Amino acid sequence: MRQNTVRKRNYWFEALGLIEVMAFILLGYAIFRDWMSGIYVGSLTYLVVAWTLRLTLQKHHRKGMRLLKAEMYEKALVCFQKSEAFFEKHAWIDKYRFITMFSSSAYSYREMALHNQAHAYLRLNCPLDAIAPLEKLAKINPKRTDAAKAANEIREKLKQEDKDNTNS
């Protein structure tokens, strides 16, 4: 079953990304004093730096996403927990992700890790465990009302199931 991916972008971060590309091109021009060489070298340097940073800093996040798509939820959960711990410890990397990882995502990687933890718990049929990451997500970003709403819906569903079980 294919899952739809939600990608919310911050367009200011995207504009800053274009400025970063231009800075690399200008650096290439400053070194070679030739626009074509500057464009080639600057663009190549940008790609190498961007992909190196993404592959290293987003290691756990990327692995967790691959495992989630492969329906290996226990292993994905561990990766998302590691990702959350990394970005909690190095909050400045996540806060300035448009520079440190060339990412224009409106959601922080810590938020994505918490959201994906809840998703993995639900896929593992552990709805009670999914509540904690959703509440943590709602706490670190109060604008994410979807997280608090999802936690409340899970609680209500569990209450209803308990009520149904005691009545039968």
Side-chain angles (χ1 to χ4, degrees):
M1 183 169 100
R2 177 146 165 69
Q3 298 286 322
N4 290 333
T5 304
V6 176
R7 290 197 174 128
K8 189 171 181 184
R9 301 246 182 246
N10 184 323
Y11 294 105
W12 287 109
F13 287 178
E14 286 191 11
L16 289 171
L18 292 174
I19 292 170
E20 290 169 337
V21 171
M22 291 303 300
F24 277 104
I25 290 172
L26 288 173
L27 179 64
Y29 173 75
I31 293 170
F32 294 102
R33 295 285 179 207
D34 174 43
W35 279 111
M36 289 310 292
S37 297
I39 289 171
Y40 293 136
V41 170
S43 298
L44 183 62
T45 304
Y46 170 81
L47 288 173
V48 169
V49 169
W51 278 104
T52 301
L53 290 171
R54 285 183 181 176
L55 290 174
T56 56
L57 298 177
Q58 299 172 6
K59 176 176 63 174
H60 299 298
H61 175 79
R62 295 168 63 85
K63 185 176 180 183
M65 292 305 293
R66 278 193 308 274
L67 292 166
L68 200 61
K69 287 178 184 174
E71 298 181 2
M72 300 172 75
Y73 304 119
E74 296 94 352
K75 291 180 180 181
L77 182 60
V78 171
C79 288
F80 293 131
Q81 289 167 341
K82 287 179 181 178
S83 179
E84 178 201 358
F86 175 81
F87 287 113
E88 187 172 14
K89 183 177 180 182
H90 306 285
W92 67 273
I93 293 173
D94 205 8
K95 182 177 181 180
Y96 299 108
R97 62 192 167 279
F98 58 93
I99 295 171
T100 58
M101 294 182 283
F102 300 96
S103 172
S104 61
S105 173
Y107 299 131
S108 71
Y109 280 87
R110 186 169 173 221
E111 287 177 64
M112 287 187 266
L114 289 165
H115 177 89
N116 288 327
Q117 284 175 46
H119 180 76
Y121 278 125
L122 290 172
R123 289 295 186 163
L124 290 168
N125 202 23
C126 301
L128 193 59
D129 294 327
I131 294 172
L134 288 169
E135 287 179 337
K136 197 171 186 181
L137 175 56
K139 186 177 179 182
I140 64 170
N141 187 351
K143 292 179 183 176
R144 293 285 306 265
T145 56
D146 59 325
K149 183 179 175 185
N152 288 333
E153 286 175 3
I154 293 169
R155 259 192 226 94
E156 289 301 316
K157 185 177 179 184
L158 291 173
K159 275 185 200 176
Q160 187 63 40
E161 287 175 3
D162 284 345
K163 191 186 280 187
D164 292 344
N165 290 339
T166 57
N167 290 339
S168 55

